[in-house]
Amino acid sequence: MKSQREFRFENPQGTPFCFQLQELVEGDFGFYTWPCSVELVSFLLQNTHLVRDRRVLELGCGTALVSLAAAALGCSAALATDLAHPPEILENCARNVGANSAASRLPVRVLPLEWGCLPFGLGRAW
């Protein structure tokens, strides 16, 4: 079953930004937005210097909330990664990135990454 959730934040200058994320409520760990992702975004909002003009690698991105937020806060590139299997995890992640970055051209890419295995060409990916 698919579910649409809206996440609203405000940057330190008071400008609001919002992400619409599709979640799959019946599935594995990568199919929904974990509360720790929301907390990490809140932390980054208070510490934008950690991501501004930097490259961000998100491991186990699930719905890609943190990568999208890092991009909205000014990172030079964000790479959202998660398991390649089941394929629905990355398909959903890519859909969320596409739906939330199309108008604003946020620099977020989605790639499969198995923990402990560096994929060929990762360094060139971003």
Side-chain angles (χ1 to χ4, degrees):
M1 174 198 264
K2 294 180 183 177
S3 170
Q4 194 80 11
R5 283 182 66 193
E6 180 176 272
F7 295 88
R8 292 182 170 273
F9 301 97
E10 191 173 287
N11 70 16
Q13 294 75 34
T15 306
F17 60 94
C18 176
F19 300 110
Q20 297 283 336
L21 300 180
Q22 177 176 283
E23 298 179 313
L24 306 173
V25 293
E26 293 175 8
D28 209 345
F29 298 115
F31 291 116
Y32 58 90
T33 305
W34 285 64
C36 59
S37 296
V38 177
E39 291 301 318
L40 181 52
V41 171
S42 296
F43 174 80
L44 292 175
L45 284 166
Q46 301 305 314
N47 297 279
T48 58
H49 65 281
L50 295 174
V51 294
R52 179 161 286 127
D53 299 322
R54 295 179 185 241
R55 293 183 294 170
V56 174
L57 172 63
E58 184 181 5
L59 302 173
C61 67
T63 60
L65 175 63
V66 174
S67 292
L68 288 164
L73 293 171
C75 76
S76 60
L79 187 56
T81 68
D82 212 316
L83 298 172
H85 299 288
E88 294 84 7
I89 293 175
L90 282 181
E91 290 167 3
N92 188 58
C93 179
R95 192 209 81 59
N96 285 335
V97 167
N100 286 280
S101 65
S104 56
R105 294 190 171 94
L106 295 176
V108 180
R109 294 197 56 211
V110 177
L111 285 178
L113 180 64
E114 301 289 329
W115 291 18
C117 300
L118 190 61
F120 177 77
L122 178 62
R124 290 176 291 196
W126 59 322

